Amino acid sequence: MYLKKMLEAVARVQWKQDSIVKLLFFAWLRQRVGHSESVLAKPADVETVLELVSWLARQSDGYARAFEDISRIRVSINQTHAALSDKISDSDEVAFFPPVTGG
Amino acid sequence: MIRVSVQDHDFKLSDEIARISSCSNDAGAVVSFVGLVRGQSNGEELRALILEHYPEMTEREILKTVDSCLNRWPLKGVTVIHRFGQLKPNDQIVLVLTAAPHRQDAFDAAQYLMDYLKTRAPFWKREIRASGEHWVEAREADDRAAARWDQN
């Protein structure tokens, strides 16, 4: 918890006005990305989920592999199902996952 | 009575039916659905099924589904239990109970709940078979089953 706060603070200083988002990954997306959670500062021109996906895919091979077929990705913002065209705000929790298979 | 539980441990059907039945005198019907782990998948024997979920979202999403269900049917009670973690063939995965004055409402509501759980609740299944680990793919039939409720 303390470490997370530190990272957020560092990110805020580095990127000034950019917003901080928390990313979560589930199922095979988590395996491809290589971690289940990260906190990062997103550039100001990245406004929608789709823009975030394209930006992330340029940041690492893991992200690129996870997002190679966008039709297989579902997303939620602050624990509510969302669309790729939805906008992201400061401090949002954005989760990426495959279509759900419960029940 | 609304009871929603996301848990790793098993549940006992008879206890749950007794609980929902005792909460109302007007329920003439209780419908139950229990989902079980199949022993085979893709022609292979299943060793285990691992259910992963998104804890902060799961209960919320199930409660939303229950809420919309209560708006559609005059129910006296709803119970939803969904398990996560490692399960074996024949284990119980999910329980839906609906109590209503008359059976048709209880049947329809139970089906609605299952259709929506399948397509909305953030769970993901991974199968452990002899050939390795496989993520279960979502089925289009489940999407169609949920979509038909939007039309009527």
Side-chain angles (χ1 to χ4, degrees), chain B residues 84-128:
Chain B
F84 61 89
Q86 181 157 340
L87 304 177
K88 302 181 306 296
N90 241 24
D91 278 354
Q92 306 186 112
I93 307 180
V94 60
L95 168 74
V96 162
L97 296 180
T98 51
H102 302 285
R103 72 179 185 284
Q104 196 58 52
D105 289 336
F107 274 125
D108 289 349
Q111 206 150 21
Y112 175 93
L113 281 168
M114 274 313 299
D115 287 345
Y116 269 82
L117 280 180
K118 283 260 177 201
T119 53
R120 309 282 300 176
F123 286 95
W124 300 276
K125 291 186 182 128
R126 187 164 27 133
E127 295 175 343
I128 312 295

Short mmCIF file of all heavy atoms in Angstrom, two decimals, chain B residues 84-128:
data_model
loop_
_atom_site.label_atom_id
_atom_site.label_comp_id
_atom_site.label_asym_id
_atom_site.label_seq_id
_atom_site.Cartn_x
_atom_site.Cartn_y
_atom_site.Cartn_z
N PHE B 84 -15.23 -20.10 -6.60
CA PHE B 84 -14.00 -19.86 -7.35
C PHE B 84 -12.92 -20.77 -6.78
O PHE B 84 -13.14 -21.46 -5.79
CB PHE B 84 -13.58 -18.38 -7.27
CG PHE B 84 -13.31 -17.89 -5.86
CD1 PHE B 84 -12.04 -18.01 -5.31
CD2 PHE B 84 -14.32 -17.34 -5.10
CE1 PHE B 84 -11.79 -17.58 -4.00
CE2 PHE B 84 -14.08 -16.90 -3.80
CZ PHE B 84 -12.81 -17.03 -3.26
N GLY B 85 -11.75 -20.77 -7.41
CA GLY B 85 -10.66 -21.63 -6.95
C GLY B 85 -10.59 -22.92 -7.75
O GLY B 85 -11.13 -22.99 -8.85
N GLN B 86 -9.95 -23.92 -7.17
CA GLN B 86 -9.77 -25.18 -7.90
C GLN B 86 -10.88 -26.19 -7.60
O GLN B 86 -11.14 -26.51 -6.45
CB GLN B 86 -8.40 -25.78 -7.56
CG GLN B 86 -8.14 -27.07 -8.32
CD GLN B 86 -6.66 -27.40 -8.45
OE1 GLN B 86 -5.80 -26.54 -8.31
NE2 GLN B 86 -6.36 -28.66 -8.72
N LEU B 87 -11.53 -26.67 -8.66
CA LEU B 87 -12.64 -27.62 -8.52
C LEU B 87 -12.32 -28.90 -9.30
O LEU B 87 -11.51 -28.89 -10.22
CB LEU B 87 -13.94 -27.01 -9.06
CG LEU B 87 -14.38 -25.67 -8.45
CD1 LEU B 87 -15.64 -25.18 -9.14
CD2 LEU B 87 -14.62 -25.80 -6.96
N LYS B 88 -13.01 -29.98 -8.92
CA LYS B 88 -12.82 -31.28 -9.57
C LYS B 88 -14.10 -31.65 -10.32
O LYS B 88 -15.17 -31.10 -10.06
CB LYS B 88 -12.55 -32.36 -8.51
CG LYS B 88 -11.35 -32.12 -7.63
CD LYS B 88 -11.14 -33.26 -6.64
CE LYS B 88 -12.35 -33.61 -5.78
NZ LYS B 88 -12.78 -32.56 -4.87
N PRO B 89 -13.99 -32.63 -11.25
CA PRO B 89 -15.19 -33.08 -11.93
C PRO B 89 -16.28 -33.45 -10.93
O PRO B 89 -15.99 -34.03 -9.87
CB PRO B 89 -14.71 -34.33 -12.69
CG PRO B 89 -13.29 -34.03 -12.99
CD PRO B 89 -12.78 -33.29 -11.78
N ASN B 90 -17.49 -33.08 -11.27
CA ASN B 90 -18.67 -33.34 -10.43
C ASN B 90 -18.87 -32.35 -9.28
O ASN B 90 -19.92 -32.38 -8.63
CB ASN B 90 -18.65 -34.77 -9.87
CG ASN B 90 -19.85 -35.55 -10.35
OD1 ASN B 90 -20.42 -35.23 -11.40
ND2 ASN B 90 -20.27 -36.53 -9.59
N ASP B 91 -17.90 -31.50 -9.02
CA ASP B 91 -18.08 -30.49 -7.97
C ASP B 91 -19.17 -29.50 -8.39
O ASP B 91 -19.39 -29.26 -9.57
CB ASP B 91 -16.78 -29.69 -7.76
CG ASP B 91 -15.80 -30.42 -6.86
OD1 ASP B 91 -16.16 -31.48 -6.32
OD2 ASP B 91 -14.66 -29.93 -6.73
N GLN B 92 -19.81 -28.92 -7.41
CA GLN B 92 -20.79 -27.87 -7.67
C GLN B 92 -20.05 -26.55 -7.91
O GLN B 92 -19.14 -26.21 -7.16
CB GLN B 92 -21.72 -27.71 -6.47
CG GLN B 92 -22.39 -29.01 -6.03
CD GLN B 92 -23.42 -28.80 -4.93
OE1 GLN B 92 -24.59 -28.97 -5.15
NE2 GLN B 92 -22.96 -28.42 -3.75
N ILE B 93 -20.46 -25.82 -8.98
CA ILE B 93 -19.84 -24.52 -9.25
C ILE B 93 -20.75 -23.38 -8.86
O ILE B 93 -20.34 -22.40 -8.27
CB ILE B 93 -19.56 -24.30 -10.77
CG1 ILE B 93 -18.78 -25.46 -11.37
CG2 ILE B 93 -18.82 -22.99 -10.98
CD1 ILE B 93 -18.51 -25.25 -12.87
N VAL B 94 -22.02 -23.50 -9.25
CA VAL B 94 -22.92 -22.36 -9.11
C VAL B 94 -24.30 -22.83 -8.65
O VAL B 94 -24.74 -23.93 -9.00
CB VAL B 94 -23.00 -21.57 -10.43
CG1 VAL B 94 -23.52 -22.40 -11.58
CG2 VAL B 94 -23.84 -20.30 -10.30
N LEU B 95 -24.95 -21.98 -7.86
CA LEU B 95 -26.32 -22.25 -7.42
C LEU B 95 -27.17 -21.02 -7.64
O LEU B 95 -26.76 -19.91 -7.30
CB LEU B 95 -26.34 -22.60 -5.92
CG LEU B 95 -27.75 -22.63 -5.28
CD1 LEU B 95 -28.51 -23.89 -5.73
CD2 LEU B 95 -27.66 -22.59 -3.77
N VAL B 96 -28.33 -21.23 -8.25
CA VAL B 96 -29.33 -20.16 -8.35
C VAL B 96 -30.64 -20.69 -7.80
O VAL B 96 -31.09 -21.77 -8.19
CB VAL B 96 -29.51 -19.70 -9.82
CG1 VAL B 96 -30.81 -18.94 -9.98
CG2 VAL B 96 -28.35 -18.83 -10.26
N LEU B 97 -31.21 -19.97 -6.86
CA LEU B 97 -32.54 -20.30 -6.33
C LEU B 97 -33.44 -19.10 -6.52
O LEU B 97 -33.03 -17.97 -6.24
CB LEU B 97 -32.49 -20.62 -4.83
CG LEU B 97 -31.69 -21.81 -4.33
CD1 LEU B 97 -31.81 -21.89 -2.81
CD2 LEU B 97 -32.19 -23.10 -4.96
N THR B 98 -34.66 -19.35 -6.98
CA THR B 98 -35.64 -18.27 -7.07
C THR B 98 -36.93 -18.74 -6.41
O THR B 98 -37.36 -19.87 -6.61
CB THR B 98 -35.95 -17.91 -8.54
OG1 THR B 98 -36.27 -19.10 -9.25
CG2 THR B 98 -34.77 -17.22 -9.21
N ALA B 99 -37.51 -17.88 -5.62
CA ALA B 99 -38.79 -18.19 -4.95
C ALA B 99 -39.82 -17.18 -5.41
O ALA B 99 -39.56 -15.98 -5.45
CB ALA B 99 -38.61 -18.12 -3.44
N ALA B 100 -40.99 -17.67 -5.81
CA ALA B 100 -42.07 -16.80 -6.31
C ALA B 100 -43.42 -17.41 -5.94
O ALA B 100 -43.50 -18.60 -5.63
CB ALA B 100 -41.96 -16.63 -7.82
N PRO B 101 -44.48 -16.59 -5.96
CA PRO B 101 -45.81 -17.14 -5.68
C PRO B 101 -46.19 -18.27 -6.65
O PRO B 101 -46.79 -19.26 -6.25
CB PRO B 101 -46.74 -15.94 -5.86
CG PRO B 101 -45.87 -14.75 -5.57
CD PRO B 101 -44.52 -15.13 -6.11
N HIS B 102 -45.80 -18.10 -7.95
CA HIS B 102 -46.17 -19.09 -8.95
C HIS B 102 -44.96 -19.57 -9.74
O HIS B 102 -44.01 -18.82 -9.93
CB HIS B 102 -47.24 -18.52 -9.89
CG HIS B 102 -48.46 -18.09 -9.16
ND1 HIS B 102 -49.39 -18.99 -8.66
CD2 HIS B 102 -48.88 -16.85 -8.78
CE1 HIS B 102 -50.34 -18.32 -8.02
NE2 HIS B 102 -50.06 -17.03 -8.08
N ARG B 103 -45.05 -20.81 -10.25
CA ARG B 103 -43.84 -21.45 -10.78
C ARG B 103 -43.25 -20.80 -12.01
O ARG B 103 -42.03 -20.77 -12.16
CB ARG B 103 -44.10 -22.95 -11.06
CG ARG B 103 -45.00 -23.22 -12.26
CD ARG B 103 -45.19 -24.71 -12.48
NE ARG B 103 -45.96 -24.98 -13.69
CZ ARG B 103 -47.27 -24.84 -13.80
NH1 ARG B 103 -47.98 -24.42 -12.76
NH2 ARG B 103 -47.89 -25.12 -14.93
N GLN B 104 -44.10 -20.27 -12.91
CA GLN B 104 -43.55 -19.73 -14.17
C GLN B 104 -42.57 -18.59 -13.91
O GLN B 104 -41.51 -18.52 -14.53
CB GLN B 104 -44.67 -19.28 -15.11
CG GLN B 104 -44.18 -19.09 -16.56
CD GLN B 104 -43.57 -20.37 -17.14
OE1 GLN B 104 -44.20 -21.43 -17.10
NE2 GLN B 104 -42.34 -20.29 -17.65
N ASP B 105 -42.91 -17.71 -12.99
CA ASP B 105 -42.02 -16.60 -12.65
C ASP B 105 -40.70 -17.12 -12.07
O ASP B 105 -39.62 -16.60 -12.38
CB ASP B 105 -42.69 -15.66 -11.64
CG ASP B 105 -43.82 -14.86 -12.27
OD1 ASP B 105 -43.80 -14.68 -13.51
OD2 ASP B 105 -44.73 -14.43 -11.54
N ALA B 106 -40.80 -18.15 -11.24
CA ALA B 106 -39.59 -18.70 -10.62
C ALA B 106 -38.70 -19.36 -11.67
O ALA B 106 -37.47 -19.18 -11.67
CB ALA B 106 -39.96 -19.71 -9.53
N PHE B 107 -39.30 -20.11 -12.61
CA PHE B 107 -38.54 -20.74 -13.70
C PHE B 107 -37.86 -19.68 -14.55
O PHE B 107 -36.66 -19.74 -14.83
CB PHE B 107 -39.46 -21.57 -14.62
CG PHE B 107 -39.70 -22.98 -14.15
CD1 PHE B 107 -41.00 -23.47 -13.97
CD2 PHE B 107 -38.63 -23.85 -13.93
CE1 PHE B 107 -41.22 -24.77 -13.56
CE2 PHE B 107 -38.85 -25.16 -13.52
CZ PHE B 107 -40.15 -25.62 -13.33
N ASP B 108 -38.63 -18.68 -15.01
CA ASP B 108 -38.10 -17.65 -15.91
C ASP B 108 -36.98 -16.86 -15.23
O ASP B 108 -35.94 -16.59 -15.84
CB ASP B 108 -39.21 -16.68 -16.35
CG ASP B 108 -40.20 -17.34 -17.31
OD1 ASP B 108 -39.89 -18.45 -17.79
OD2 ASP B 108 -41.26 -16.75 -17.56
N ALA B 109 -37.21 -16.49 -13.97
CA ALA B 109 -36.21 -15.69 -13.25
C ALA B 109 -34.90 -16.47 -13.08
O ALA B 109 -33.81 -15.91 -13.21
CB ALA B 109 -36.76 -15.25 -11.91
N ALA B 110 -35.02 -17.77 -12.82
CA ALA B 110 -33.81 -18.59 -12.63
C ALA B 110 -33.01 -18.66 -13.94
O ALA B 110 -31.78 -18.55 -13.94
CB ALA B 110 -34.18 -20.00 -12.17
N GLN B 111 -33.74 -18.80 -15.05
CA GLN B 111 -33.08 -18.87 -16.34
C GLN B 111 -32.40 -17.53 -16.69
O GLN B 111 -31.28 -17.49 -17.17
CB GLN B 111 -34.10 -19.21 -17.41
CG GLN B 111 -33.48 -19.88 -18.59
CD GLN B 111 -34.45 -20.84 -19.26
OE1 GLN B 111 -35.65 -20.75 -19.09
NE2 GLN B 111 -33.91 -21.77 -20.01
N TYR B 112 -33.12 -16.46 -16.41
CA TYR B 112 -32.58 -15.11 -16.64
C TYR B 112 -31.29 -14.91 -15.84
O TYR B 112 -30.27 -14.45 -16.36
CB TYR B 112 -33.64 -14.09 -16.22
CG TYR B 112 -33.24 -12.65 -16.26
CD1 TYR B 112 -33.49 -11.87 -17.39
CD2 TYR B 112 -32.64 -12.03 -15.16
CE1 TYR B 112 -33.14 -10.53 -17.43
CE2 TYR B 112 -32.29 -10.69 -15.19
CZ TYR B 112 -32.54 -9.94 -16.33
OH TYR B 112 -32.20 -8.62 -16.36
N LEU B 113 -31.33 -15.28 -14.57
CA LEU B 113 -30.15 -15.12 -13.72
C LEU B 113 -28.96 -15.90 -14.26
O LEU B 113 -27.84 -15.37 -14.33
CB LEU B 113 -30.46 -15.59 -12.29
CG LEU B 113 -31.24 -14.62 -11.42
CD1 LEU B 113 -31.73 -15.32 -10.16
CD2 LEU B 113 -30.37 -13.42 -11.04
N MET B 114 -29.19 -17.14 -14.66
CA MET B 114 -28.09 -17.95 -15.19
C MET B 114 -27.56 -17.37 -16.49
O MET B 114 -26.35 -17.30 -16.70
CB MET B 114 -28.53 -19.40 -15.41
CG MET B 114 -28.42 -20.28 -14.19
SD MET B 114 -26.82 -20.13 -13.32
CE MET B 114 -25.66 -20.64 -14.59
N ASP B 115 -28.46 -16.94 -17.38
CA ASP B 115 -28.03 -16.37 -18.66
C ASP B 115 -27.17 -15.13 -18.44
O ASP B 115 -26.17 -14.93 -19.12
CB ASP B 115 -29.25 -16.00 -19.52
CG ASP B 115 -29.94 -17.24 -20.09
OD1 ASP B 115 -29.33 -18.32 -20.06
OD2 ASP B 115 -31.10 -17.12 -20.55
N TYR B 116 -27.56 -14.30 -17.49
CA TYR B 116 -26.80 -13.09 -17.23
C TYR B 116 -25.50 -13.35 -16.47
O TYR B 116 -24.49 -12.73 -16.74
CB TYR B 116 -27.67 -12.04 -16.52
CG TYR B 116 -28.34 -11.16 -17.53
CD1 TYR B 116 -29.51 -11.56 -18.16
CD2 TYR B 116 -27.77 -9.96 -17.93
CE1 TYR B 116 -30.09 -10.79 -19.14
CE2 TYR B 116 -28.34 -9.18 -18.91
CZ TYR B 116 -29.51 -9.59 -19.52
OH TYR B 116 -30.07 -8.82 -20.51
N LEU B 117 -25.52 -14.31 -15.55
CA LEU B 117 -24.28 -14.67 -14.84
C LEU B 117 -23.23 -15.13 -15.84
O LEU B 117 -22.06 -14.77 -15.75
CB LEU B 117 -24.54 -15.81 -13.86
CG LEU B 117 -25.17 -15.46 -12.53
CD1 LEU B 117 -25.34 -16.72 -11.70
CD2 LEU B 117 -24.27 -14.49 -11.79
N LYS B 118 -23.67 -15.93 -16.81
CA LYS B 118 -22.76 -16.49 -17.81
C LYS B 118 -22.08 -15.42 -18.65
O LYS B 118 -20.98 -15.62 -19.14
CB LYS B 118 -23.56 -17.41 -18.77
CG LYS B 118 -23.89 -18.76 -18.18
CD LYS B 118 -22.91 -19.76 -18.72
CE LYS B 118 -23.09 -21.14 -18.14
NZ LYS B 118 -21.86 -21.93 -18.30
N THR B 119 -22.78 -14.31 -18.88
CA THR B 119 -22.25 -13.30 -19.80
C THR B 119 -21.77 -12.02 -19.10
O THR B 119 -21.15 -11.19 -19.74
CB THR B 119 -23.30 -12.91 -20.85
OG1 THR B 119 -24.51 -12.52 -20.18
CG2 THR B 119 -23.62 -14.09 -21.77
N ARG B 120 -22.08 -11.85 -17.81
CA ARG B 120 -21.73 -10.59 -17.12
C ARG B 120 -20.78 -10.76 -15.94
O ARG B 120 -19.96 -9.88 -15.68
CB ARG B 120 -23.00 -9.90 -16.58
CG ARG B 120 -24.12 -9.71 -17.57
CD ARG B 120 -23.90 -8.57 -18.52
NE ARG B 120 -23.77 -7.28 -17.84
CZ ARG B 120 -23.50 -6.14 -18.49
NH1 ARG B 120 -23.34 -6.15 -19.79
NH2 ARG B 120 -23.39 -5.01 -17.83
N ALA B 121 -20.93 -11.85 -15.19
CA ALA B 121 -20.11 -11.99 -13.97
C ALA B 121 -18.66 -12.29 -14.36
O ALA B 121 -18.40 -13.19 -15.16
CB ALA B 121 -20.68 -13.09 -13.09
N PRO B 122 -17.70 -11.51 -13.80
CA PRO B 122 -16.31 -11.66 -14.22
C PRO B 122 -15.60 -12.88 -13.63
O PRO B 122 -14.83 -12.78 -12.69
CB PRO B 122 -15.67 -10.35 -13.76
CG PRO B 122 -16.51 -9.89 -12.63
CD PRO B 122 -17.90 -10.40 -12.85
N PHE B 123 -15.90 -14.03 -14.23
CA PHE B 123 -15.23 -15.29 -13.89
C PHE B 123 -14.57 -15.84 -15.15
O PHE B 123 -15.10 -15.66 -16.25
CB PHE B 123 -16.25 -16.35 -13.44
CG PHE B 123 -16.81 -16.13 -12.07
CD1 PHE B 123 -18.00 -15.46 -11.91
CD2 PHE B 123 -16.16 -16.62 -10.94
CE1 PHE B 123 -18.55 -15.27 -10.65
CE2 PHE B 123 -16.70 -16.43 -9.68
CZ PHE B 123 -17.89 -15.75 -9.52
N TRP B 124 -13.44 -16.52 -14.97
CA TRP B 124 -12.78 -17.16 -16.12
C TRP B 124 -12.36 -18.56 -15.70
O TRP B 124 -11.77 -18.75 -14.63
CB TRP B 124 -11.56 -16.35 -16.56
CG TRP B 124 -11.97 -14.98 -16.96
CD1 TRP B 124 -12.43 -14.59 -18.18
CD2 TRP B 124 -12.01 -13.81 -16.12
NE1 TRP B 124 -12.77 -13.27 -18.16
CE2 TRP B 124 -12.52 -12.76 -16.92
CE3 TRP B 124 -11.68 -13.55 -14.79
CZ2 TRP B 124 -12.70 -11.47 -16.41
CZ3 TRP B 124 -11.85 -12.28 -14.29
CH2 TRP B 124 -12.35 -11.26 -15.10
N LYS B 125 -12.65 -19.53 -16.58
CA LYS B 125 -12.36 -20.94 -16.28
C LYS B 125 -11.11 -21.41 -17.03
O LYS B 125 -10.97 -21.14 -18.22
CB LYS B 125 -13.53 -21.81 -16.73
CG LYS B 125 -14.79 -21.65 -15.91
CD LYS B 125 -15.82 -22.67 -16.36
CE LYS B 125 -17.13 -22.50 -15.59
NZ LYS B 125 -18.27 -22.39 -16.49
N ARG B 126 -10.27 -22.11 -16.31
CA ARG B 126 -9.09 -22.74 -16.91
C ARG B 126 -9.15 -24.23 -16.63
O ARG B 126 -9.32 -24.64 -15.48
CB ARG B 126 -7.83 -22.14 -16.26
CG ARG B 126 -6.56 -22.56 -16.91
CD ARG B 126 -5.39 -21.65 -16.50
NE ARG B 126 -5.55 -21.02 -15.21
CZ ARG B 126 -4.60 -20.98 -14.27
NH1 ARG B 126 -3.43 -21.55 -14.47
NH2 ARG B 126 -4.79 -20.36 -13.13
N GLU B 127 -9.04 -25.03 -17.68
CA GLU B 127 -9.13 -26.48 -17.53
C GLU B 127 -7.73 -27.09 -17.46
O GLU B 127 -6.85 -26.71 -18.23
CB GLU B 127 -9.86 -27.10 -18.73
CG GLU B 127 -11.31 -26.68 -18.82
CD GLU B 127 -11.99 -27.21 -20.08
OE1 GLU B 127 -11.27 -27.60 -21.03
OE2 GLU B 127 -13.22 -27.21 -20.13
N ILE B 128 -7.57 -28.03 -16.54
CA ILE B 128 -6.32 -28.78 -16.48
C ILE B 128 -6.63 -30.17 -17.04
O ILE B 128 -7.42 -30.92 -16.45
CB ILE B 128 -5.79 -28.92 -15.02
CG1 ILE B 128 -5.81 -27.56 -14.30
CG2 ILE B 128 -4.40 -29.54 -15.02
CD1 ILE B 128 -4.90 -26.51 -14.86
#
